Amino acid sequence: MAWTIVQARLPRPAMTCNVPSGALMSHHLKFFIDGAWVDPAVPALLDVIDPSTEEAFTQISVGGKADVDRAVAAAKAAFQSFAVTDRSERLALLKRILEIYNERYEDIAAAVSREMGAPLAFARESQAWAGRAHLEATIAAFERFEFSEKRGSTMVVKEPIGVCALITPWNWPLNQIVCKVAPAIAAGCTVVLKPSEIAPISGIIFAEVIEAAGTPKGVFNMVNGNGPDVGQVMAGHPDVDMVSFTGSTRAGIIVAKTAAETVKRVAQELGGKSANIILPDADLETAVRKGVEGCFGNSGQSCDAPTRMLVPADRHDEALLFARDVAEAFIVGDPQAEDTVLGPVVSEIQFNKIQRLIEVGIEEGALLVTGGPGRPENLNRGYYVRPTIFGHVSPDMTIAREEIFGPVLSILPYETEEQAIAIANDTVYGLAAYIQSGDIEHARKVAARMRAGSVYLNYPEWDTFAPFGGYKQSGNGREYADWAIHDFLEIKGIVGWDG
């Protein structure tokens, strides 16, 4: 998910978030297969935990191989007719999906807030909005997309790849679901979606949107479940032609190995450890402030978050003071309170991982500027993490190399620009990089040397038409707009077209 700044806000009167029971409860125990809500082949339930309370607020059904087989069969049967539909039909379908999505917008925001602990304002203005924005971008790109071109006597045709298995994460649920489903439909593919079992309710609502939009049966199917029992089965299924996966690099490797048995295409958007180089000619205070906000957005749970801030060594201590002041202004608390800026992280597993890495940072000798282990004051339950800043971090420290996925920023000093570039690129990841400079030409020259799929100069606005994806162990393939449509197409050359 693209980098998003979250501004620290002053306290305001509390606001409650009432999740409409009818909208959110009717299909929790069902899968959506072949145009209908169906029971799992073997009943099995999983609690969905509210990370702000550590308590279950609902349950979902989780599936297995029989459910995947049924969903893939439905998608395979539907592909024959859907693949040859006219562009205008698929465009009209996407526009209906967008219309119904907007009608369910508040339900979606409420679900995201509850299932992953996102503050309600952030769930509405960033999480739910991301799904809308990507639908709009896909529609705009699709309207001008070319599916064929003439090269000499050869006609080059782009055709839908087939049945696509879509596996999406919990941290930006609607962003990733729409980034896969919308371009797949535009391309003429049929899909089986497995949303994250940690944050599944927004995915269920999206399936309701798909149904209400009149999507032909079998074009979209959804099976909830865990990675080994559903995701991995989808990746290895002989009737699946492509897998699009977003998640950890570890899980991505498993998906790729499984998919390799049937030589299917795999598009992956994986982990990151993105560097944010603040050049000497940047406004240090502004660059540090926005860098902290970008790192902490979504409680630090973004794969492309600028988690390594590189600052000139002679201004390192000054940067620490700016960062500390910004971090300590963040309001951490109840996602339903309007003044909350940071909610909890998504799960106990994630909380424990972050706590371990904070402790490792201290043990390895990094300077703890603010934050640290444990929950913030006055919060004795919920997976809340203290906004944490480390200074005097060296490139070999664990917190400078391992993806933390929480509100934890490492600040590293550098002596020369060459050293900064070397440190930034010295990672197994390559999802994003950030450059801050008072001279745009200077920033562009440094950007050209970044080994990353996206480079952001001076904290730009989010661009849903830019390609999004990574180098190295951050994955392959590209998402967003027409870049994503290409991923769901095969290329056919018809030679001798002119006869």
Side-chain angles (χ1 to χ4, degrees):
M1 165 63 195
W3 167 75
T4 305
I5 292 178
V6 181
Q7 298 287 346
R9 295 191 294 265
L10 296 175
R12 287 176 288 185
M15 170 180 177
T16 59
C17 169
N18 296 313
V19 180
S21 58
L24 294 183
M25 291 301 294
S26 57
H27 296 129
H28 284 197
L29 304 183
K30 303 281 188 179
F31 302 148
F32 189 72
I33 299 176
D34 205 21
W37 292 96
V38 301
D39 293 322
V42 177
L45 299 177
L46 178 70
D47 287 342
V48 182
I49 306 299
D50 181 335
S52 68
T53 64
E54 305 180 40
E55 297 176 356
F57 69 94
T58 189
Q59 291 181 314
I60 60 166
S61 290
V62 289
K65 183 179 184 302
D67 304 295
V68 173
D69 287 344
R70 183 177 177 185
V72 171
K76 183 179 179 180
F79 177 71
Q80 298 304 317
S81 58
F82 192 67
V84 296
T85 53
D86 187 76
R87 175 207 297 260
S88 63
E89 294 179 56
R90 302 198 301 277
L91 181 60
L93 174 58
L94 286 171
K95 289 181 176 180
R96 289 197 302 273
I97 292 171
L98 175 59
E99 179 183 355
I100 304 300
Y101 186 99
N102 286 332
E103 290 176 4
R104 298 295 304 274
Y105 196 90
E106 289 301 318
D107 292 340
I108 291 167
V112 172
S113 181
R114 191 75 186 274
E115 68 190 1
M116 64 168 294
L120 183 57
F122 185 81
R124 180 184 295 118
E125 296 162 13
S126 293
Q127 290 279 1
W129 175 84
R132 171 196 285 166
H134 282 298
L135 275 167
E136 292 171 343
T138 303
I139 288 168
F142 184 35
E143 287 176 324
R144 56 180 182 267
F145 194 89
E146 297 294 337
F147 285 91
S148 63
E149 64 173 296
K150 189 83 176 301
R151 292 197 176 186
S153 64
T154 297
M155 181 64 74
V156 180
V157 181
K158 301 170 186 176
E159 298 180 341
I161 194 169
V163 175
C164 302
L166 313 179
I167 304 171
T168 59
W170 48 262
N171 62 321
W172 286 90
L174 274 305
N175 180 86
Q176 290 308 131
I177 288 173
V178 174
C179 275
K180 299 182 190 304
V181 173
I185 288 175
C189 295
T190 58
V191 307
V192 180
L193 169 70
K194 189 200 89 66
S196 169
E197 71 276 20
I198 298 172
I201 307 306
S202 55
I204 292 172
I205 298 175
F206 185 79
E208 293 172 349
V209 168
I210 289 286
E211 179 186 31
T215 304
K217 70 176 187 176
V219 169
F220 172 93
N221 306 273
M222 184 196 71
V223 177
N224 277 313
N226 62 34
D229 295 331
V230 175
Q232 200 167 340
V233 174
M234 289 165 58
H237 201 289
D239 289 332
V240 167
D241 300 289
M242 175 196 175
V243 182
S244 181
F245 172 84
T246 299
S248 70
T249 297
R250 177 194 58 79
I253 291 169
I254 295 172
V255 166
K257 286 181 176 180
T258 304
E261 292 291 331
T262 46
V263 199
K264 54 173 59 76
R265 185 186 301 174
V266 179
Q268 298 176 311
E269 194 262 281
L270 308 175
K273 192 67 179 176
S274 303
N276 182 9
I277 300 177
I278 300 178
L279 294 168
D281 57 9
D283 179 326
L284 184 67
E285 182 175 4
T286 299
V288 170
R289 173 177 59 80
K290 290 186 175 182
V292 174
E293 291 168 349
C295 177
F296 288 179
N298 201 36
S299 294
Q301 300 170 126
S302 295
C303 49
D304 61 343
T307 54
R308 293 184 295 148
M309 181 180 287
L310 278 62
V311 301
D314 60 355
R315 302 194 69 185
H316 175 265
D317 290 346
E318 185 181 359
L320 298 188
L321 295 177
F322 291 142
R324 181 198 63 192
D325 291 345
V326 176
E328 292 179 352
F330 274 81
I331 300 171
V332 183
D334 184 355
Q336 297 186 26
E338 191 175 347
D339 61 336
T340 294
V341 178
L342 294 185
V345 296
V346 77
S347 68
E348 182 180 12
I349 291 174
Q350 191 65 23
F351 177 84
N352 290 338
K353 174 190 174 185
I354 296 165
Q355 296 300 313
R356 175 182 63 81
L357 286 168
I358 290 173
E359 291 169 355
V360 167
I362 295 170
E363 292 167 3
E364 292 185 354
L367 174 66
L368 181 63
V369 177
T370 189
R375 294 181 177 84
E377 293 182 11
N378 304 319
L379 292 170
N380 55 19
R381 71 169 183 169
Y383 306 125
Y384 294 97
V385 175
R386 300 173 69 189
T388 298
I389 304 287
F390 281 107
H392 292 285
V393 177
S394 61
D396 60 337
M397 289 182 178
T398 303
I399 58 172
R401 307 198 70 81
E402 191 169 325
E403 188 174 37
I404 299 174
F405 234 57
V408 181
L409 174 65
S410 298
I411 300 181
L412 295 78
Y414 68 86
E415 296 291 345
T416 66
E417 185 173 298
E418 287 297 317
Q419 184 189 31
I421 292 169
I423 293 171
N425 287 331
D426 182 22
T427 171
V428 298
Y429 299 112
L431 188 57
Y434 302 77
I435 312 295
Q436 318 310 323
S437 174
D439 179 350
I440 190 63
E441 286 298 328
H442 188 189
R444 289 169 181 164
K445 288 177 181 177
V446 176
R449 300 181 63 187
M450 292 294 99
R451 297 287 296 165
S454 298
V455 183
Y456 302 95
L457 308 182
N458 294 327
Y459 305 114
E461 294 294 325
W462 185 29
D463 184 358
T464 55
F465 290 89
F468 186 77
Y471 287 20
K472 299 186 281 186
Q473 292 186 30
S474 287
N476 48 60
R478 293 295 181 267
E479 295 188 322
Y480 294 12
D482 54 314
W483 305 100
I485 298 173
H486 280 290
D487 267 3
F488 291 94
L489 295 170
E490 285 282 22
I491 307 298
K492 176 186 288 181
I494 306 176
V495 183
W497 180 264
D498 294 328

